[in-house]
Amino acid sequence: MIVVYSTAWCPDCLRARQVLKEAGVDFVEIDIEKVPCAEEAMRAFNGGVGKVPTILIEALPEERVVLVEPSDEVLRKTLADYKARRGGSEE
């Protein structure tokens, strides 16, 4: 499962969204300015950081990766690892 915490106006969020789409993975996007308590939930697992995009990637139930404002390169590598761990399949 991939969850992206974002805002509508954030250029880094737009960039990350494009990388995710190019990777062909399913993801859920949560706008922290529109969804009540979303920012608090995001801060609970990213060390209290208020930066977007914050991307939560869970390849397996016991395996969680949190990326805060990742570069395209880091996000692509992490997504490739995610897909490999899932046997090349999506969600």
Side-chain angles (χ1 to χ4, degrees):
M1 172 181 221
I2 300 174
V3 180
V4 179
Y5 290 85
S6 64
T7 62
W9 52 265
C10 167
D12 287 332
C13 297
L14 296 172
R15 179 184 48 75
R17 187 179 305 118
Q18 185 61 37
V19 171
L20 288 157
K21 288 178 181 177
E22 289 170 3
V25 295
D26 293 330
F27 62 96
V28 175
E29 190 166 5
I30 299 173
D31 188 323
I32 65 168
E33 294 181 326
K34 293 182 181 176
V35 177
C37 300
E39 183 174 356
E40 291 82 3
M42 175 190 78
R43 287 175 183 262
F45 67 79
N46 77 0
V49 179
K51 295 183 178 183
V52 290
T54 290
I55 303 171
L56 172 63
I57 301 173
E58 293 182 315
L60 301 169
E62 67 280 356
E63 198 172 320
R64 174 186 275 189
V65 175
V66 176
L67 302 174
V68 179
E69 292 184 333
S71 68
D72 291 356
E73 180 181 344
V74 167
L75 183 53
R76 284 188 184 104
K77 181 184 181 326
T78 305
L79 292 173
D81 291 346
Y82 166 79
K83 289 171 88 172
R85 291 198 188 308
R86 298 197 49 87
S89 68
E90 294 181 34
E91 310 297 299

